[in-house]
Amino acid sequence: MKKKIAIQGVHGCFHEQAARLYYGEEIEVVECLSFEDLFVSLEQKTADGAVMAIENTVSGGLLPNYSLLHKYGKQIKGEIFLRIKQNLMALPGQKIEDIREVHSHYMAIAQTRSFFQEYPHIRLIESDDTAKSAADIATKRQMHVGAIASGLAAELFGLEILQESIETHKQNFTRFLILDDKLNVEKRDIDKSSICFTIPHVKGRLSQILSIFSFYDLNLTKIQSLPIPGKEWQYFFYVDLKFEEYNRYREAMNAVQPLMEDVKIMGEYKSYNE
């Protein structure tokens, strides 16, 4: 039986591409309209696991997803990095000169706008999803219409890629988290941790915490603060820690916990190494 993996989006989207990169091709994709639906599918056990974007090298962190991680308490079991290659595609047999309008998600359009400056005859139209834009062209047999989407979308929907990798910034990567209670990460493989905490209003407290992490040779690869609803000027801090020795990391956590409040380890896992 194929493993059911929840993604935000439809078949052919970058989430599915990331899921297949992590789990392999033998999976059944569970499409979710929103990121919260993704967590609901895990809660209701209609999916065995999930792959969720958390940050991008161009646009930054997906802040609402940090809140969802905290709300649902699902443990992070891994991560995957995917190079986001935006491709211009259309029904086979057409050239770029034949295309009159191109549909895609606003983010994909923003990432490729420089490319279309060379084709002023093409009108850019925002849609809800990159892959759905490609699927609509295939389903409706729309001539003279293009989509910006993944290579997987072109493959699934029988479209022809007119121009590959049209994004302005080629070093465009998205980091995805793996949420899967059935995955068991061996202690010897753990070299990364994601934690969440708050701190009291004490002068220099955050600096003290970061100094302890440094003393124990932990590499702080990410820090994100989000306000706590209903508590003025108080914040959750979401931190990713990279380390070489698990026991050293645990010693560091024991040392900093008295300085923190509401400490939550959101996952201990193996970092992605391409």
Side-chain angles (χ1 to χ4, degrees):
M1 182 179 294
K2 292 184 178 181
K3 197 161 191 174
K4 295 181 179 180
I5 304 301
I7 62 168
Q8 189 278 319
V10 302
H11 283 293
C13 67
F14 290 109
H15 270 80
E16 179 174 359
Q17 201 170 336
R20 294 187 182 281
L21 183 61
Y22 187 86
Y23 284 99
E25 295 296 322
E26 294 301 312
I27 60 172
E28 179 182 338
V29 169
V30 178
E31 299 173 322
C32 299
L33 294 178
S34 69
F35 285 110
E36 182 134 26
D37 287 344
L38 182 149
F39 282 93
V40 171
S41 70
L42 293 175
E43 293 279 292
Q44 297 180 347
K45 301 191 184 305
T46 54
D48 302 309
V51 175
M52 183 187 73
I54 194 66
E55 61 179 318
N56 177 267
T57 54
V58 175
S59 56
L62 281 74
L63 302 187
N65 289 1
Y66 286 96
S67 298
L68 289 171
L69 277 170
H70 191 271
K71 175 181 177 181
Y72 285 93
K74 289 296 180 183
Q75 284 286 297
I76 302 167
K77 294 298 185 70
E79 64 180 6
I80 195 84
F81 288 77
L82 179 68
R83 160 102 188 274
I84 304 300
K85 293 174 65 176
Q86 303 287 8
N87 307 289
L88 175 60
M89 60 194 66
L91 290 175
Q94 301 179 92
K95 299 178 180 180
I96 294 181
E97 290 73 20
D98 300 323
I99 304 302
R100 293 291 173 261
E101 58 186 51
V102 168
H103 298 239
S104 196
H105 189 269
Y106 80 91
M107 188 70 73
I109 290 176
Q111 292 174 356
T112 59
R113 197 173 291 277
S114 294
F115 171 82
F116 288 103
Q117 289 178 356
E118 299 181 25
Y119 303 96
H121 69 282
I122 295 178
R123 189 161 66 104
L124 301 177
I125 301 174
E126 293 183 4
S127 65
D128 293 333
D129 188 89
T130 55
K132 188 177 184 305
S133 298
D136 286 345
I137 291 174
T139 302
K140 300 174 183 177
R141 308 305 295 173
Q142 294 174 310
M143 299 295 290
H144 310 298
V145 178
I148 307 166
S150 69
L152 178 61
E155 179 184 339
L156 289 177
F157 304 126
L159 300 182
E160 183 177 330
I161 294 180
L162 304 182
Q163 187 68 47
E164 185 180 15
S165 190
I166 64 173
E167 68 279 357
T168 302
H169 301 286
K170 303 305 179 185
Q171 294 302 310
N172 181 9
F173 289 85
T174 295
R175 177 185 174 222
F176 295 83
L177 300 180
I178 310 301
L179 310 173
D180 189 335
D181 289 341
K182 296 181 181 179
L183 284 180
N184 181 39
V185 185
E186 296 290 341
K187 182 179 176 180
R188 65 176 180 272
D189 293 329
I190 296 173
D191 63 356
K192 195 169 185 179
S193 172
S194 295
I195 66 174
C196 175
F197 59 89
T198 63
I199 55 176
H201 286 293
V202 176
K203 184 178 180 180
R205 179 57 55 89
L206 181 59
S207 177
Q208 291 174 332
I209 292 170
L210 298 183
S211 295
I212 291 173
F213 286 151
S214 176
F215 175 80
Y216 282 92
D217 301 317
L218 305 186
N219 184 18
L220 193 79
T221 61
K222 176 75 176 182
I223 183 167
Q224 181 73 58
S225 63
L226 288 178
I228 302 174
K231 295 185 178 181
E232 296 83 0
W233 316 119
Q234 294 190 44
Y235 298 87
F236 281 121
F237 291 91
Y238 296 88
V239 170
D240 289 336
L241 300 167
K242 186 85 163 48
F243 45 87
E244 294 183 1
E245 297 181 25
Y246 181 80
N247 290 337
R248 188 84 169 154
Y249 149 72
R250 292 305 311 181
E251 289 173 0
M253 288 302 298
N254 290 335
V256 297
Q257 283 198 17
L259 304 177
M260 301 173 169
E261 295 177 350
D262 302 320
V263 185
K264 186 175 185 181
I265 296 177
M266 307 182 75
E268 297 176 345
Y269 50 97
K270 180 175 176 57
S271 63
Y272 179 63
N273 187 346
E274 187 177 6

